[in-house]
Amino acid sequence: MKFWTSEHTFDHPWETVVTASWRKYPNPHNPAVIGLDVVDRSVDQQGVLHSHRLLSTAWGLPGWVTKLIGMDRVCYASEHSQVDPGKRTFTLKTRNITFCNVVTINEVLSYFPDPQDSSKTILHQEAMVSVRGLPLRNKMESLMTDTISRNAGKGRVAMEWVIQALKTEAQDFSSEAKKHIDHVLPHVQSPSTSSNTTL
């Protein structure tokens, strides 16, 4: 069994990072996740958003590993997440479905405001990898944790890419709204003008 952990600080508020996380895939910077399907989504009485999604992934493992365990190119994982706007926490727990009797990968991501600076967001990420009943077990577990680490780096780059896209969208929306307002306002009579108009 191998454990892996990482922590990263985003220079963006928690709300921005959470919004970006929901729009993270598909993403050219992190091609590991190639599909997402929402299985269930609900909001409880405390206002916490609970989601269950099915992820289609390409692990990016060496060819000899995929042949050894008979892995296809596409693998599936189950993701359960909770967004608590009151506590400002966002937690995602993911577990592989494909070959779970041989390889188990449990991953947890937690997003929360930086206690020292609320304009920043901390991502704490951890994973536990376990391989059973196969030769070279330790080697395979190390390869998988290395792959998780590489994908985590790509994931952070992907988040920054999405955040920039969100900012660009907001600027475009603001510019478009201003154009429409500037076009409409000259054609709108003010209340004082309309009240002085004689019939």
Side-chain angles (χ1 to χ4, degrees), residues 94-123:
T94 308
R95 182 182 178 119
N96 65 298
I97 297 172
T98 305
F99 291 104
C100 59
N101 59 323
V102 177
V103 179
T104 302
I105 301 176
N106 287 298
E107 190 175 8
V108 180
L109 283 74
S110 301
Y111 296 89
F112 51 91
D114 186 338
Q116 308 301 320
D117 185 349
S118 61
S119 69
K120 298 180 180 181
T121 303
I122 294 175
L123 164 61

Side-chain angles (χ1 to χ4, degrees), residues 6 24 33 36 45 68 81 101 160 162 168 173:
S6 174
K24 188 175 175 182
V33 176
L36 281 171
Q45 293 181 344
L68 185 63
S81 65
N101 59 323
E160 293 290 351
V162 175
T168 301
F173 179 76

Side-chain angles (χ1 to χ4, degrees), residues 24-43:
K24 188 175 175 182
Y25 304 111
N27 192 300
H29 296 283
N30 186 12
V33 176
I34 56 179
L36 281 171
D37 292 288
V38 177
V39 178
D40 186 46
R41 183 166 285 164
S42 63
V43 178

Side-chain angles (χ1 to χ4, degrees), residues 1-2 129-131 137-145:
M1 185 179 295
K2 297 281 185 186
V129 178
S130 178
V131 175
R137 179 176 58 85
N138 289 334
K139 177 70 172 174
M140 291 180 65
E141 289 175 348
S142 295
L143 280 170
M144 289 181 179
T145 53

Side-chain angles (χ1 to χ4, degrees), residues 23 163-177:
R23 296 183 55 180
I163 289 169
Q164 188 55 50
L166 288 172
K167 288 181 178 179
T168 301
E169 282 181 14
Q171 290 170 354
D172 291 346
F173 179 76
S174 178
S175 297
E176 192 66 22

